[in-house]
Amino acid sequence: MKNIQQLDVAIVGGASAGLAAALILGRSIRKTVVFDTGEPRNKPAARAHNVFTRDGVSPLEILHIGREQLKAYPSVTIAQDKVISAAKEEGGFRLETASGESYIARKVILATGVKDILPEIKGIHALWGDKVVHCPYCHGWEMKDTPMALIGNDDMAYHLITTIYNLNKDLTVFTNGQCAFSAEQQAKLQQRGIGLIETPVTAVEDAADGIRLILADGMVHHKHGAYVRAVRMEYHTALAVQLGCELEEAGSVKVDEFQQTTIPGVFAAGDVAHPMFHQVMAAAAGGLKAGGMCNGQMVAEDFEK
Protein backbone atom coordinates (compact mmCIF):
# COMPACT_ATOMS: atom_id res chain seq x y z
CA MET A 1 0.00 0.00 0.00
CA LYS A 2 1.27 3.45 -0.91
CA ASN A 3 2.53 5.52 1.99
CA ILE A 4 0.49 8.71 2.42
CA GLN A 5 2.34 11.55 4.09
CA GLN A 6 0.40 13.66 6.58
CA LEU A 7 1.01 17.42 6.53
CA ASP A 8 -0.25 20.51 8.24
CA VAL A 9 0.16 22.61 5.09
CA ALA A 10 0.97 21.87 1.46
CA ILE A 11 2.36 24.86 -0.42
CA VAL A 12 2.24 24.47 -4.20
CA GLY A 13 4.84 26.81 -5.66
CA GLY A 14 8.32 27.64 -4.42
CA ALA A 15 8.86 31.24 -5.49
CA SER A 16 8.41 34.40 -3.38
CA ALA A 17 4.85 33.73 -2.18
CA GLY A 18 5.43 30.07 -1.41
CA LEU A 19 8.71 30.60 0.45
CA ALA A 20 7.28 33.49 2.48
CA ALA A 21 4.36 31.30 3.51
CA ALA A 22 6.73 28.49 4.43
CA LEU A 23 8.80 30.82 6.61
CA ILE A 24 5.96 31.85 8.91
CA LEU A 25 4.70 28.26 9.02
CA GLY A 26 8.14 26.94 9.87
CA ARG A 27 8.39 29.42 12.71
CA SER A 28 5.02 28.10 13.87
CA ILE A 29 6.36 24.50 13.91
CA ARG A 30 3.92 23.42 11.22
CA LYS A 31 4.79 20.34 9.16
CA THR A 32 4.92 21.89 5.73
CA VAL A 33 6.06 20.82 2.29
CA VAL A 34 6.79 23.31 -0.49
CA PHE A 35 6.38 21.77 -3.94
CA ASP A 36 8.69 23.53 -6.37
CA THR A 37 9.22 22.93 -10.09
CA GLY A 38 12.01 25.52 -10.30
CA GLU A 39 10.42 27.74 -12.96
CA PRO A 40 9.57 31.13 -11.40
CA ARG A 41 8.01 33.70 -13.71
CA ASN A 42 10.90 36.15 -13.28
CA LYS A 43 13.61 33.57 -14.02
CA PRO A 44 14.69 35.29 -17.30
CA ALA A 45 15.32 38.62 -15.53
CA ALA A 46 18.88 39.41 -14.47
CA ARG A 47 17.72 41.51 -11.51
CA ALA A 48 14.65 42.00 -9.36
CA HIS A 49 13.66 45.50 -8.26
CA ASN A 50 11.45 47.12 -5.64
CA VAL A 51 12.53 44.36 -3.27
CA PHE A 52 13.18 45.81 0.17
CA THR A 53 16.86 45.23 1.16
CA ARG A 54 17.45 43.20 -2.05
CA ASP A 55 16.93 45.76 -4.83
CA GLY A 56 18.87 44.75 -7.93
CA VAL A 57 19.62 41.21 -6.77
CA SER A 58 19.03 38.30 -9.15
CA PRO A 59 15.55 36.76 -8.69
CA LEU A 60 17.14 33.33 -8.43
CA GLU A 61 19.53 34.56 -5.74
CA ILE A 62 16.61 35.93 -3.73
CA LEU A 63 14.90 32.55 -3.90
CA HIS A 64 18.16 30.82 -2.95
CA ILE A 65 18.41 33.02 0.14
CA GLY A 66 14.80 32.19 0.99
CA ARG A 67 15.41 28.47 0.73
CA GLU A 68 18.60 28.70 2.79
CA GLN A 69 16.80 30.54 5.59
CA LEU A 70 14.13 27.84 5.73
CA LYS A 71 16.80 25.31 6.76
CA ALA A 72 16.59 26.70 10.30
CA TYR A 73 13.06 25.27 10.58
CA PRO A 74 13.10 21.45 10.46
CA SER A 75 9.33 21.11 10.05
CA VAL A 76 9.58 22.59 6.53
CA THR A 77 10.85 20.62 3.55
CA ILE A 78 11.09 21.49 -0.13
CA ALA A 79 10.13 18.84 -2.67
CA GLN A 80 11.30 19.21 -6.27
CA ASP A 81 8.07 17.74 -7.52
CA LYS A 82 4.91 18.78 -9.35
CA VAL A 83 1.47 18.40 -7.82
CA ILE A 84 -0.78 17.01 -10.53
CA SER A 85 -4.04 16.58 -8.65
CA ALA A 86 -5.76 17.88 -5.54
CA ALA A 87 -9.09 17.00 -3.96
CA LYS A 88 -10.98 17.54 -0.71
CA GLU A 89 -11.44 14.44 1.40
CA GLU A 90 -11.92 13.40 5.02
CA GLY A 91 -9.17 14.91 7.13
CA GLY A 92 -8.10 17.56 4.68
CA PHE A 93 -6.90 17.69 1.09
CA ARG A 94 -5.29 14.88 -0.87
CA LEU A 95 -2.48 15.79 -3.25
CA GLU A 96 -0.83 13.50 -5.79
CA THR A 97 2.49 14.36 -7.41
CA ALA A 98 4.16 13.59 -10.72
CA SER A 99 6.65 11.33 -8.95
CA GLY A 100 3.83 9.20 -7.52
CA GLU A 101 3.83 10.56 -3.95
CA SER A 102 0.60 11.13 -2.02
CA TYR A 103 -0.05 13.66 0.73
CA ILE A 104 -2.91 14.63 3.01
CA ALA A 105 -2.73 18.25 4.14
CA ARG A 106 -4.97 20.10 6.56
CA LYS A 107 -4.53 23.30 4.57
CA VAL A 108 -3.34 24.14 1.07
CA ILE A 109 -1.68 27.29 -0.22
CA LEU A 110 -1.66 27.71 -4.00
CA ALA A 111 1.29 29.85 -5.10
CA THR A 112 1.39 28.48 -8.62
CA GLY A 113 2.02 31.75 -10.46
CA VAL A 114 1.34 32.73 -14.06
CA LYS A 115 2.98 32.52 -17.46
CA ASP A 116 3.26 35.42 -19.88
CA ILE A 117 2.05 34.49 -23.36
CA LEU A 118 3.99 36.81 -25.65
CA PRO A 119 3.10 38.02 -29.14
CA GLU A 120 4.28 35.77 -31.98
CA ILE A 121 7.21 37.97 -32.95
CA LYS A 122 10.52 36.39 -33.92
CA GLY A 123 13.29 37.02 -31.39
CA ILE A 124 11.09 38.32 -28.61
CA HIS A 125 11.55 35.36 -26.28
CA ALA A 126 15.35 35.48 -26.50
CA LEU A 127 15.38 39.09 -25.24
CA TRP A 128 12.56 38.70 -22.68
CA GLY A 129 13.53 39.97 -19.25
CA ASP A 130 16.53 41.88 -20.63
CA LYS A 131 15.91 44.33 -23.46
CA VAL A 132 12.29 43.31 -23.93
CA VAL A 133 10.35 43.78 -20.70
CA HIS A 134 6.82 44.20 -19.38
CA CYS A 135 6.90 46.41 -16.29
CA PRO A 136 8.15 50.00 -15.80
CA TYR A 137 8.28 49.44 -12.05
CA CYS A 138 10.56 46.43 -12.53
CA HIS A 139 12.79 47.77 -15.32
CA GLY A 140 11.95 51.44 -15.87
CA TRP A 141 14.81 53.07 -13.94
CA GLU A 142 17.43 51.14 -15.92
CA MET A 143 15.85 52.24 -19.22
CA LYS A 144 14.87 55.80 -18.35
CA ASP A 145 15.68 58.72 -20.66
CA THR A 146 16.32 56.46 -23.67
CA PRO A 147 14.39 55.87 -26.92
CA MET A 148 11.86 53.14 -26.12
CA ALA A 149 9.20 51.13 -27.92
CA LEU A 150 5.95 49.76 -26.61
CA ILE A 151 4.29 46.87 -28.43
CA GLY A 152 0.66 46.82 -27.39
CA ASN A 153 -2.81 47.71 -28.57
CA ASP A 154 -5.46 47.72 -25.82
CA ASP A 155 -6.62 49.82 -22.89
CA MET A 156 -4.00 48.27 -20.60
CA ALA A 157 -1.33 49.17 -23.16
CA TYR A 158 -2.58 52.75 -23.13
CA HIS A 159 -2.40 52.78 -19.33
CA LEU A 160 1.16 51.50 -19.64
CA ILE A 161 2.02 54.36 -21.99
CA THR A 162 1.26 56.92 -19.29
CA THR A 163 3.58 55.16 -16.84
CA ILE A 164 6.39 54.73 -19.38
CA TYR A 165 6.11 58.38 -20.49
CA ASN A 166 7.00 59.46 -16.98
CA LEU A 167 10.41 57.84 -17.58
CA ASN A 168 10.82 58.01 -21.37
CA LYS A 169 9.67 61.00 -23.40
CA ASP A 170 11.13 59.42 -26.57
CA LEU A 171 8.50 56.72 -27.00
CA THR A 172 7.03 54.97 -30.02
CA VAL A 173 3.99 52.71 -29.79
CA PHE A 174 3.79 49.77 -32.19
CA THR A 175 0.21 48.48 -32.25
CA ASN A 176 1.28 45.47 -34.37
CA GLY A 177 -1.80 45.87 -36.55
CA GLN A 178 -4.78 48.20 -36.83
CA CYS A 179 -4.83 50.60 -33.90
CA ALA A 180 -7.50 49.92 -31.28
CA PHE A 181 -6.98 53.16 -29.35
CA SER A 182 -9.83 55.65 -29.35
CA ALA A 183 -9.60 58.86 -31.34
CA GLU A 184 -9.20 60.77 -28.07
CA GLN A 185 -6.37 58.50 -26.97
CA GLN A 186 -4.60 58.83 -30.29
CA ALA A 187 -4.90 62.61 -30.11
CA LYS A 188 -3.28 62.64 -26.66
CA LEU A 189 -0.38 60.55 -27.95
CA GLN A 190 0.11 62.97 -30.84
CA GLN A 191 0.02 65.98 -28.50
CA ARG A 192 2.84 64.49 -26.46
CA GLY A 193 4.98 63.54 -29.45
CA ILE A 194 4.51 59.80 -28.94
CA GLY A 195 4.86 57.94 -32.24
CA LEU A 196 2.18 55.49 -33.34
CA ILE A 197 2.94 52.79 -35.93
CA GLU A 198 0.37 50.20 -37.05
CA THR A 199 2.59 48.18 -39.41
CA PRO A 200 3.08 44.73 -37.86
CA VAL A 201 6.37 43.94 -36.13
CA THR A 202 7.78 40.73 -37.59
CA ALA A 203 11.03 40.45 -35.61
CA VAL A 204 13.00 41.96 -32.75
CA GLU A 205 16.78 41.65 -32.97
CA ASP A 206 19.54 42.31 -30.49
CA ALA A 207 21.94 45.14 -31.22
CA ALA A 208 25.02 46.45 -29.43
CA ASP A 209 23.26 49.68 -28.50
CA GLY A 210 19.77 48.26 -27.98
CA ILE A 211 17.36 46.48 -30.30
CA ARG A 212 16.10 46.59 -33.86
CA LEU A 213 12.40 46.24 -34.59
CA ILE A 214 11.82 44.82 -38.09
CA LEU A 215 8.45 45.68 -39.60
CA ALA A 216 6.41 43.82 -42.20
CA ASP A 217 7.17 46.52 -44.81
CA GLY A 218 10.93 46.15 -44.30
CA MET A 219 11.35 49.28 -42.21
CA VAL A 220 13.76 49.01 -39.27
CA HIS A 221 13.46 51.02 -36.05
CA HIS A 222 16.32 51.26 -33.56
CA LYS A 223 15.40 51.56 -29.87
CA HIS A 224 17.16 51.09 -26.56
CA GLY A 225 14.55 48.51 -25.56
CA ALA A 226 10.89 47.60 -25.75
CA TYR A 227 8.01 47.12 -23.39
CA VAL A 228 5.64 44.39 -24.51
CA ARG A 229 2.08 43.72 -23.47
CA ALA A 230 1.59 40.00 -23.18
CA VAL A 231 -1.15 38.62 -25.40
CA ARG A 232 -2.53 37.14 -22.22
CA MET A 233 -1.46 35.83 -18.85
CA GLU A 234 -1.89 32.11 -18.34
CA TYR A 235 -2.85 31.69 -14.70
CA HIS A 236 -1.80 28.31 -13.33
CA THR A 237 -5.18 27.49 -11.84
CA ALA A 238 -5.62 23.79 -12.70
CA LEU A 239 -5.39 22.73 -9.05
CA ALA A 240 -7.63 25.59 -7.93
CA VAL A 241 -10.28 24.44 -10.40
CA GLN A 242 -9.93 20.83 -9.23
CA LEU A 243 -10.53 22.00 -5.66
CA GLY A 244 -13.58 24.03 -6.70
CA CYS A 245 -12.10 27.50 -6.13
CA GLU A 246 -13.87 30.38 -7.82
CA LEU A 247 -11.86 32.41 -10.33
CA GLU A 248 -11.93 36.12 -11.11
CA GLU A 249 -13.02 37.27 -14.57
CA ALA A 250 -9.36 37.97 -15.45
CA GLY A 251 -8.46 34.36 -14.64
CA SER A 252 -6.79 34.73 -11.24
CA VAL A 253 -7.94 32.80 -8.19
CA LYS A 254 -10.53 34.74 -6.19
CA VAL A 255 -9.35 35.45 -2.64
CA ASP A 256 -10.45 37.62 0.25
CA GLU A 257 -8.29 40.09 2.17
CA PHE A 258 -6.71 37.17 4.05
CA GLN A 259 -5.81 35.19 0.86
CA GLN A 260 -8.61 32.68 1.58
CA THR A 261 -10.17 31.26 -1.58
CA THR A 262 -13.85 30.42 -1.85
CA ILE A 263 -13.02 26.91 -0.58
CA PRO A 264 -12.40 26.85 3.21
CA GLY A 265 -8.89 25.68 4.01
CA VAL A 266 -7.51 26.56 0.59
CA PHE A 267 -5.51 29.77 0.21
CA ALA A 268 -3.87 31.39 -2.80
CA ALA A 269 -1.04 33.92 -2.92
CA GLY A 270 1.30 35.58 -5.38
CA ASP A 271 0.61 36.37 -9.02
CA VAL A 272 -2.00 33.61 -9.36
CA ALA A 273 -4.14 35.38 -6.75
CA HIS A 274 -4.19 38.88 -8.25
CA PRO A 275 -5.10 40.04 -11.75
CA MET A 276 -2.65 42.96 -11.88
CA PHE A 277 -0.26 43.85 -9.05
CA HIS A 278 2.55 41.39 -9.79
CA GLN A 279 5.64 42.33 -7.79
CA VAL A 280 8.04 40.23 -5.72
CA MET A 281 7.23 42.11 -2.52
CA ALA A 282 3.49 41.87 -3.10
CA ALA A 283 3.77 38.13 -3.71
CA ALA A 284 5.84 37.65 -0.57
CA ALA A 285 3.38 39.70 1.47
CA GLY A 286 0.50 37.58 0.20
CA GLY A 287 2.37 34.41 1.05
CA LEU A 288 3.15 35.65 4.54
CA LYS A 289 -0.51 36.48 5.07
CA ALA A 290 -1.68 33.11 3.73
CA GLY A 291 0.77 31.22 5.93
CA GLY A 292 -0.23 33.19 9.00
CA MET A 293 -3.93 32.62 8.36
CA CYS A 294 -3.36 28.88 7.87
CA ASN A 295 -1.64 28.66 11.23
CA GLY A 296 -4.30 30.87 12.81
CA GLN A 297 -7.05 28.53 11.67
CA MET A 298 -5.20 25.44 12.85
CA VAL A 299 -4.36 26.76 16.31
CA ALA A 300 -8.03 27.72 16.78
CA GLU A 301 -9.20 24.31 15.59
CA ASP A 302 -6.73 22.47 17.84
CA PHE A 303 -7.48 24.63 20.87
CA GLU A 304 -11.19 23.93 20.56
CA LYS A 305 -10.56 20.20 20.47
Side-chain angles (χ1 to χ4, degrees):
M1 181 179 293
K2 182 190 292 187
N3 180 46
I4 300 177
Q5 301 182 52
Q6 301 289 329
L7 304 174
D8 286 321
V9 184
I11 301 173
V12 188
S16 302
L19 295 180
L23 182 60
I24 194 169
L25 287 164
R27 292 179 58 80
S28 301
I29 57 172
R30 290 297 177 184
K31 187 175 182 181
T32 302
V33 173
V34 181
F35 298 95
D36 182 24
T37 58
E39 293 296 326
R41 181 187 185 187
N42 57 4
K43 186 176 182 179
R47 296 177 178 82
H49 292 286
N50 300 312
V51 183
F52 182 61
T53 78
R54 291 292 185 270
D55 188 54
V57 175
S58 158
L60 297 184
E61 175 64 16
I62 291 172
L63 297 182
H64 172 73
I65 293 169
R67 288 191 294 268
E68 285 296 304
Q69 291 186 339
L70 285 175
K71 291 179 179 179
Y73 308 103
S75 66
V76 177
T77 58
I78 296 178
Q80 299 297 320
D81 205 351
K82 181 178 182 179
V83 178
I84 57 174
S85 69
K88 181 77 171 75
E89 67 171 45
E90 187 68 27
F93 302 90
R94 185 185 181 110
L95 288 79
E96 305 285 345
T97 72
S99 69
E101 298 293 327
S102 296
Y103 300 82
I104 297 291
R106 292 176 63 182
K107 309 291 179 183
V108 173
I109 298 175
L110 301 174
T112 44
V114 305
K115 180 180 180 181
D116 297 292
I117 306 301
L118 303 180
E120 291 296 328
I121 298 173
K122 183 180 178 181
I124 205 170
H125 288 86
L127 297 173
W128 185 243
D130 181 16
K131 294 181 179 181
V132 175
V133 297
H134 77 294
C135 173
Y137 293 106
C138 300
H139 306 279
W141 172 265
E142 287 68 34
M143 294 180 162
K144 66 181 175 63
D145 299 326
T146 62
M148 290 294 292
L150 166 64
I151 302 174
N153 194 22
D154 57 12
D155 285 338
M156 285 303 299
Y158 185 81
H159 174 74
L160 194 56
I161 291 168
T162 63
T163 308
I164 298 170
Y165 188 71
N166 178 56
L167 298 162
N168 301 85
K169 299 301 185 283
D170 187 343
L171 176 62
T172 303
V173 179
F174 295 83
T175 58
N176 206 29
Q178 184 175 357
C179 181
F181 299 147
S182 69
E184 181 182 1
Q185 289 172 331
Q186 292 183 52
K188 287 182 179 179
L189 298 184
Q190 185 175 19
Q191 291 168 9
R192 286 156 181 76
I194 297 172
L196 185 63
I197 296 175
E198 294 181 303
T199 307
V201 180
T202 58
V204 179
E205 298 177 348
D206 194 14
D209 57 348
I211 61 171
R212 292 185 293 268
L213 292 97
I214 316 300
L215 305 190
D217 60 6
M219 290 291 292
V220 178
H221 292 261
H222 294 262
K223 299 292 181 181
H224 180 73
Y227 289 97
V228 173
R229 276 278 296 149
V231 174
R232 71 180 191 280
M233 283 185 289
E234 186 178 274
Y235 291 87
H236 296 160
T237 56
L239 296 176
V241 171
Q242 289 179 25
L243 289 165
C245 301
E246 187 177 338
L247 305 182
E248 298 283 6
E249 184 177 349
S252 58
V253 180
K254 185 175 183 178
V255 297
D256 65 14
E257 59 183 315
F258 302 111
Q259 308 300 136
Q260 171 76 61
T261 71
T262 53
I263 298 299
V266 180
F267 296 77
D271 291 356
V272 77
H274 199 286
M276 290 181 59
F277 195 54
H278 297 166
Q279 293 275 314
V280 170
M281 289 292 286
L288 184 75
K289 192 184 296 184
M293 292 307 298
C294 277
N295 184 63
Q297 288 185 2
M298 287 185 288
V299 294
E301 291 163 2
D302 294 343
F303 195 78
E304 289 303 316
K305 287 179 183 178

